[in-house]
Amino acid sequence: MKIAIKEFGEEHVAAVRQFNCRLKAGGATLCFPESPIPEWLPKSPGRKVFQEHYLAIDEGGDVRGAYTLKHQEFWIKDRVVSIADFRLPISEGIINRRYASVAVQLLRDALARQPLLFGLGMGGYDEPVARLLQAAGWSMHTVPFFFRIIRPVHFLRNITYLRRSRAMHGVLDALALSGIGSLGVRTVQAFRRRVRPDLTVDVKEVKDFNGFADRLWETCHSQYGMTAVRNDETMQALYPEDDPRFTRLEVSDRGRPLGYAVLINTAHTGHKYFGDMRLGSIVSCFGHTDSTANVVSAAAEHLESQGVDLIVSNHSHVAWQQGFRRAGFLSWRSNVIFAASKALTEMLSRAGVTNEQLHFNRGDGDGPVNL
Amino acid sequence: MTLTDRVAAIFEKVFGIEASTFSPTLAPEDVLRWDSLGHMTLVMELEDTFGVHFDVDELTELNSGGRVIEMLRAKGVKD
């Protein structure tokens, strides 16, 4: 069985559709994009963050697997390096053992194209992709999850993730009806909150960062061990101003940029985790590492004013984790994992970058999906 | 120990099958743990044990016990 990896071209569209049909018929819930030009972050002249799709094609022209590389510039300790996110790997091996080898081929091919690879998300250590990367010797690190409950009754009534049994239904309904839940949630969050309103901090909602992200990037990127380049150009590519989902906040102190946040506010219906809640998400943050609590508080207050029931976020950098805790956020088990290839792990190790200095949030990797 | 015995021992370690049941016709469809993760573990075990490297295009050819042995021989591994 000879299988070769090729870049997705127009001539492969029909074969990708058939691949998706076979996956679906076999009971798989995953499918691969059916256009050779990525809908999100397509390649364009001069753009430094872009995606490419690759296909595993057999001798008969059938597609047996696929993956995407999201190329992006990252700051690592003292330099900017282009690395890539290994995304959407799908192999026909998930429905047909005959193709069990394809996933390994996809991963090795991606590494041959870009040895400095990472994966982000994956849904937990037991998921197939996470297990594959772990078996391949990648280093794995959990990106902590933070949440703050704004409307406890709505939360208790809708948190599908916790309402999995009749018993939990009963307990959560009782907590919601009795008022004990609200009281408990508010007490715990208030007790955890350590940041006080700062009258000199100015929070501005903007349509685009227009120089603000560039100024911030220049002054504070060296405070991070590893972070995606987050200048104006990259932020515009990731969170374009014509996309109505995103809210951008600039946070300054007497004219000095402290940080920014990109937010999403979504009214869910029947979500597998969040039921019918209005969910606020802090998808991306950046700024001075001593000002994280100010930025997180500003973001949370903005989302609260928009009527969200719950605010969620994932952050790996220790300063941002502290900022979330000081802003009254609680943490919970995270299913977001950062995995680094051997070459990237070695580069980080040589540069002396520790896990606590990695800056990844929910908007990195696959972007703000499922929010 | 012959090359076949050594490969059979690796199949036992990786897939949990009795080395005595190893045969050249053994394929992923016949072995419960020979899935994507199992194949990754097999490839890494073969590379570590025999000091060889499989190119991207060779990985999907390691699709039976017999092909594994043939490809190791082609890479200069002696019986």
Side-chain angles (χ1 to χ4, degrees):
Chain A
M1 180 174 58
K2 286 249 184 214
I3 292 182
I5 310 274
K6 295 177 181 166
E7 192 165 352
F8 190 171
E10 284 295 342
E11 67 277 21
H12 305 125
V13 170
V16 171
R17 278 200 197 117
Q18 286 162 8
F19 171 60
N20 283 336
C21 287
R22 288 195 300 277
L23 291 177
K24 195 175 172 189
T29 52
L30 300 168
C31 64
F32 197 75
E34 293 180 355
S35 166
I37 299 169
E39 201 175 310
W40 185 50
L41 302 172
K43 215 189 271 189
S44 73
R47 181 185 267 183
K48 290 167 186 157
V49 50
F50 62 91
Q51 298 197 104
E52 293 170 323
H53 295 322
Y54 292 95
L55 306 173
I57 301 172
D58 71 12
E59 292 153 303
D62 286 319
V63 171
R64 302 298 179 188
Y67 72 91
T68 297
L69 286 182
K70 177 187 167 201
H71 299 274
Q72 190 168 4
E73 287 191 328
F74 274 72
W75 167 260
I76 297 182
K77 197 66 174 184
D78 58 1
R79 72 192 70 173
V80 171
V81 184
S82 184
I83 68 176
D85 176 15
F86 179 60
R87 299 188 60 233
L88 305 173
I90 308 179
S91 146
E92 195 154 339
I94 60 176
I95 57 160
N96 185 344
R97 289 289 183 89
R98 190 158 177 246
Y99 301 103
S101 58
V102 172
V104 184
Q105 193 186 23
L106 297 176
L107 179 59
R108 287 275 180 104
D109 183 78
L111 285 165
R113 292 176 197 275
Q114 172 53 284
L116 301 173
L117 273 191
F118 73 93
L120 190 69
M122 290 174 273
Y125 288 94
D126 290 336
E127 293 298 315
V129 175
R131 293 174 67 200
L132 188 75
L133 298 184
Q134 205 156 22
W138 288 35
S139 60
M140 315 288 275
H141 175 61
T142 305
V143 180
F145 172 68
F146 294 92
F147 69 99
R148 191 159 116 189
I149 301 165
I150 306 300
R151 300 212 284 178
V153 173
H154 281 237
F155 171 81
L156 293 166
R157 289 242 184 225
N158 284 286
I159 186 70
T160 316
Y161 179 76
L162 297 177
R163 296 171 71 90
R164 286 178 180 167
S165 67
R166 285 174 72 94
M168 279 305 286
H169 261 259
V171 169
L172 294 172
D173 284 346
L175 287 171
L177 277 171
S178 65
I180 295 172
S182 288
L183 187 67
V185 165
R186 288 187 201 287
T187 305
V188 170
Q189 290 182 165
F191 181 73
R192 294 288 301 264
R193 202 166 177 173
R194 291 281 180 274
V195 66
R196 296 281 167 262
D198 189 339
L199 296 177
T200 64
V201 170
D202 178 41
V203 181
K204 192 161 68 172
E205 183 178 343
V206 294
K207 283 199 75 166
D208 65 71
F209 286 118
N210 192 23
F212 189 89
D214 276 350
R215 288 206 301 282
L216 207 52
W217 176 254
E218 284 310 315
T219 53
C220 51
H221 66 268
S222 58
Q223 297 169 22
Y224 294 82
M226 178 186 188
T227 174
V229 170
R230 293 168 194 269
N231 55 14
D232 277 8
E233 182 191 336
T234 311
M235 296 306 286
Q236 180 61 25
L238 293 172
Y239 310 106
E241 61 182 282
D242 57 2
D243 189 329
R245 283 184 306 162
F246 303 118
T247 299
R248 297 155 201 80
L249 296 184
E250 294 177 354
V251 183
S252 311
D253 185 1
R254 285 163 285 198
R256 174 184 169 251
L258 294 183
Y260 63 72
V262 180
L263 318 174
I264 293 181
N265 172 352
T266 313
H268 285 292
T269 307
H271 190 280
K272 65 176 177 175
Y273 294 148
F274 306 116
D276 295 343
M277 271 190 272
R278 181 170 276 280
L279 182 71
S281 312
I282 302 174
V283 295
S284 182
C285 284
F286 191 67
H288 289 276
T289 51
D290 59 0
S291 303
T292 56
N294 294 104
V295 178
V296 176
S297 289
E301 279 167 30
H302 185 89
L303 286 166
E304 191 171 347
S305 73
Q306 304 290 303
V308 302
D309 299 312
L310 173 71
I311 304 172
V312 298
S313 201
N314 286 83
H315 284 268
S316 59
H317 195 281
V318 66
W320 284 97
Q321 292 179 35
Q322 286 163 359
F324 273 86
R325 291 194 186 97
R326 288 185 63 207
F329 278 72
L330 306 172
S331 55
W332 185 255
R333 234 185 358 251
S334 172
N335 61 8
V336 175
I337 300 165
F338 167 69
S341 68
K342 286 180 180 172
L344 181 57
T345 303
E346 278 167 24
M347 176 180 270
L348 291 169
S349 172
R350 273 200 310 274
V353 176
T354 64
N355 287 339
E356 293 189 330
Q357 296 171 319
L358 305 172
H359 184 53
F360 282 97
N361 26 117
R362 193 60 187 253
D364 291 312
D366 289 349
V369 292
N370 300 323
L371 293 174
Chain B
M1 206 181 210
T2 66
L3 177 58
T4 301
D5 291 338
R6 293 173 75 191
V7 170
I10 288 173
F11 271 58
E12 181 173 283
K13 181 179 172 187
V14 173
F15 300 133
I17 59 164
E18 292 279 336
S20 58
T21 63
F22 175 82
S23 84
T25 57
L26 207 60
E29 298 93 313
D30 310 319
V31 181
L32 185 65
R33 282 163 54 182
W34 196 342
D35 55 9
S36 300
L37 183 62
H39 195 75
M40 170 62 81
T41 313
L42 173 68
V43 169
M44 294 188 70
E45 196 65 36
L46 291 170
E47 289 182 339
D48 284 351
T49 304
F50 297 106
V52 296
H53 177 77
F54 295 103
D55 292 335
V56 170
D57 293 343
E58 294 174 325
L59 294 167
T60 49
E61 292 187 55
L62 295 165
N63 54 8
S64 70
R67 281 297 288 152
V68 168
I69 293 168
E70 281 172 25
M71 292 186 71
L72 287 170
R73 282 192 184 125
K75 288 186 177 294
V77 178
K78 303 273 186 253
D79 273 317

